[in-house]
Amino acid sequence: MGSIFENMQGVPLNHYIWFCAIIFTIGVIGVLVRRNAIIIFMSVELMLNAVNLLLAAFSVHHNDASGQVFVFFIMALAAAEVAVGLSIIVMVYRNTQSIDINVLNRLKW
């Protein structure tokens, strides 16, 4: 019975690179184009997950587990980022009654 890693090596590395590049590009476009704070936050998470998937793919490709360990620490950091980011978004919404980032210019004064 083969492991997950043996099945993953059946997919060429180029497919992972292209897939992660597309996901990362969608995240960048979401950050640059959208004005909703939650959508921007989700786009940042999408970019982070694209990088995590690529790190795991390269780790399996090179038969080195250090990339997968690094992904684990990035996921722990992302969980903390989600907690802090959502709390900031909730506080901004309480103060401005909007999550549009253009409204946040009022908080400067």
Side-chain angles (χ1 to χ4, degrees):
M1 179 181 274
S3 69
I4 294 173
F5 302 117
E6 291 172 6
N7 293 336
M8 188 172 167
Q9 290 176 350
V11 178
L13 188 61
N14 288 339
H15 289 40
Y16 285 105
I17 293 172
W18 280 108
F19 181 64
C20 292
I22 290 168
I23 292 176
F24 192 84
T25 303
I26 291 170
V28 168
I29 290 171
V31 167
L32 295 177
V33 173
R34 302 297 293 225
R35 298 290 79 179
N36 187 338
I38 294 176
I39 301 295
I40 291 172
F41 192 60
M42 287 172 34
S43 297
V44 169
E45 292 296 321
L46 194 63
M47 292 188 300
L48 190 61
N49 286 329
V51 172
N52 280 342
L53 179 61
L54 196 59
L55 274 172
F58 275 120
S59 175
V60 170
H61 180 71
H62 292 293
N63 293 324
D64 186 15
S66 62
Q68 294 172 4
V69 172
F70 195 59
V71 166
F72 176 74
F73 287 117
I74 290 173
M75 289 175 69
L77 180 70
E81 173 197 359
V82 166
V84 171
L86 284 178
S87 64
I88 290 172
I89 289 173
V90 167
M91 291 306 296
V92 166
Y93 181 76
R94 284 184 183 174
N95 289 331
T96 63
Q97 299 301 314
S98 175
I99 53 174
D100 186 17
I101 60 170
N102 292 329
V103 177
L104 296 179
N105 289 331
R106 292 189 295 174
L107 295 177
K108 290 180 183 178
W109 302 101

